[in-house]
Amino acid sequence: MRQASGLRRIAQVPENKPIIRKLLYATLCMIFIPLSLFFAFWKGGLASKALGGDSPYLLTFSAVVAVVAVNIILCVYVVIAFSEETFDGATENKKGK
């Protein structure tokens, strides 16, 4: 019988399933939220409402909003990753005390 290779073997470990799920959610958020915000601000008219319709910085403002969204998503993912429990059941904060 052939062993599962690579990602399938890693995904079969029960402790890895919630971690893989969080990584998948973060990845999907990193793709769809910044793109949605960029186009909502640029083509949807939110940037023109914020800056005025004749501003030359509409595209730049839309890009900055998307970059800020990426940074927020990354910060939230890092906080979630550091606050999850370790395999022995203790959190990192409880270990240090």
Side-chain angles (χ1 to χ4, degrees):
M1 184 179 234
R2 189 171 171 229
Q3 274 189 333
S5 64
L7 291 176
R8 285 189 183 174
R9 189 178 64 201
I10 292 171
Q12 289 174 350
V13 177
E15 292 89 10
N16 291 343
K17 289 183 181 183
I19 297 168
I20 293 171
R21 188 176 309 118
K22 289 176 191 174
L23 181 61
L24 180 65
Y25 290 153
T27 302
L28 291 174
C29 287
M30 288 284 292
I31 294 170
F32 291 113
I33 292 175
L35 282 175
S36 299
L37 285 173
F38 176 78
F39 285 112
F41 273 82
W42 184 40
K43 296 285 186 179
L46 293 176
S48 63
K49 289 179 184 175
L51 298 176
D54 57 348
S55 177
Y57 301 110
L58 297 177
L59 186 62
T60 305
F61 183 70
S62 302
V64 167
V65 168
V67 169
V68 168
V70 167
N71 286 319
I72 291 171
I73 293 167
L74 283 174
C75 290
V76 168
Y77 179 73
V78 167
V79 167
I80 289 172
F82 277 114
S83 65
E84 70 184 19
E85 292 186 5
T86 59
F87 291 116
D88 62 355
T91 59
E92 287 295 323
N93 293 336
K94 290 180 184 175
K95 271 187 166 179
K97 292 182 179 178

